[in-house]
Amino acid sequence: APISAAEGYASLGATLGAIRALPPSERAEAAEAATKRVSATLNGMKVAGATRRWDCYPTLQRRNVFPGEFSQMGIKDATQIGRPSDTNDFNFIVAVTLTTSLLALVVGATLPGDWGAFGSYLIGGISLATLAVGSTAPGLLKVAIDRVARVNPEYRTRIAKHEAAHFLVGYMLGTPVAGYSLGLGTAHTDFLEAKLERKVYGRIAIKEETMLPLACISMAGVAAEAMAYEEVQGQEADLRDLQRILNKCEPKLSDAAQQAVTRWAVWQAASMLKRHQKSFDALTEK
């Protein structure tokens, strides 16, 4: 049944407000429970003409995508897709090394006697400890690396583009999102579960027509980065999300078919973002 814009937004505001009022540990479960209610509200608003872009791609058809088609969608360098980026890791190591070296020099010059020498050695050891942790358990440094990278305004803009793309493509494919967090390298199982209306973990099987929109949502952030930058930095978690979905597709996809789906998903997401550029830009405005 049609739902007016005023009624719909009031309902959505009440639902999301109730979720935000809960303790953080309870929000994920509450958001999952609200998925069907939010979808029904948005569907009613769409019938009334209040949410034209909601679920505006009801069906998707996969096809082979040729390399030249990526540049037509504005992707700067398609060869960077699927290639790991170590730019932030390198910048973090340089920042730690320079900072600790300078601090050790200051401590050695200002503290008297053995205190100065001991302080310098202790502070200098931070760089070695960071390298040791980075080489044996790099995941432990991800939060620190991300925080250091966010000092750069360009990186913050990159985050905004990447996550806005996930949001917009998910919205246009009929995926309600009750909560969200910004950060490259963050898995987006909340999107995938909202679309499936069930958990993506465990032994489940999905058909290709269900898998295709999930693949587009997973690759939307990669597409947005590739359209704006030569290097794609936030794709590792997105590719893990996609692989989790591809592994559950029935019938099983060959390695070549999985690669073809990945290329198509990036191209399709880029096509959607390009077509709805104004909406995408509005989401990334400060």
Side-chain angles (χ1 to χ4, degrees):
I3 299 176
S4 67
E7 181 184 357
Y9 286 123
S11 174
L12 293 174
T15 300
L16 300 181
I19 293 173
R20 286 194 294 268
L22 293 173
S25 60
E26 300 178 13
R27 291 175 185 170
E29 184 177 353
E32 181 183 353
T35 295
K36 291 184 178 180
R37 185 164 63 254
V38 172
S39 293
T41 300
L42 290 170
N43 286 334
M45 295 172 68
K46 182 179 179 66
V47 173
T51 53
R52 291 180 301 169
R53 289 182 178 80
W54 163 255
D55 200 14
C56 60
Y57 287 83
T59 58
L60 295 174
Q61 295 292 328
R62 178 167 69 93
R63 66 174 182 80
N64 290 327
V65 177
F66 299 98
E69 294 183 82
F70 288 108
S71 59
Q72 295 174 4
M73 291 299 108
I75 291 177
K76 295 183 180 297
D77 186 0
T79 62
Q80 292 297 316
I81 298 171
R83 181 179 298 177
S85 170
D86 59 1
T87 298
N88 290 336
D89 298 4
F90 175 77
N91 291 340
F92 176 74
I93 294 298
V94 170
V96 170
T97 302
L98 292 178
T99 301
T100 54
S101 299
L102 179 60
L103 187 58
L105 182 63
V106 172
V107 168
T110 55
L111 293 182
D114 292 340
W115 285 106
F118 176 75
S120 296
Y121 283 120
L122 185 63
I123 295 172
I126 295 176
S127 297
L128 297 178
T130 301
L131 289 172
V133 172
S135 60
T136 57
L140 297 177
L141 297 178
K142 281 191 175 297
V143 173
I145 291 172
D146 182 67
R147 292 296 180 268
V148 171
R150 289 182 186 231
V151 173
N152 185 352
E154 181 182 294
Y155 183 75
R156 295 197 296 271
T157 301
R158 181 188 291 268
I159 291 176
K161 289 180 178 295
H162 184 108
E163 303 302 337
H166 282 301
F167 187 92
L168 180 59
V169 171
Y171 181 83
M172 292 190 294
L173 289 173
T175 304
V177 179
Y180 205 59
S181 60
L182 295 178
L184 298 186
T186 302
H188 295 94
T189 53
D190 49 353
F191 270 107
L192 308 183
E193 290 170 357
K195 182 66 176 176
L196 287 172
E197 296 185 353
R198 56 178 168 172
K199 294 291 186 182
V200 295
Y201 298 104
R203 301 184 63 178
I204 66 171
I206 58 176
K207 296 181 179 180
E208 178 163 319
E209 56 264 31
T210 303
M211 176 270 293
L212 293 180
L214 298 178
C216 286
I217 296 170
S218 298
M219 291 292 96
V222 173
E225 277 199 68
M227 293 169 72
Y229 306 99
E230 296 287 345
E231 182 183 26
V232 181
Q233 296 181 5
Q235 58 183 323
E236 293 183 18
D238 294 344
L239 289 169
R240 286 196 297 270
D241 279 344
L242 177 61
Q243 189 61 57
R244 186 180 297 118
I245 292 298
L246 294 178
N247 289 343
K248 298 180 183 301
C249 188
E250 292 290 348
K252 294 295 184 183
L253 298 173
S254 65
D255 290 345
Q258 291 187 21
Q259 293 175 7
V261 169
T262 303
R263 290 192 296 270
W264 170 85
V266 173
W267 175 85
Q268 179 64 45
S271 174
M272 295 167 69
L273 294 173
K274 184 176 181 180
R275 182 174 181 180
H276 300 276
Q277 186 71 48
K278 290 183 178 180
S279 296
F280 179 61
D281 290 342
L283 285 173
T284 57
E285 288 179 355
K286 294 183 179 179

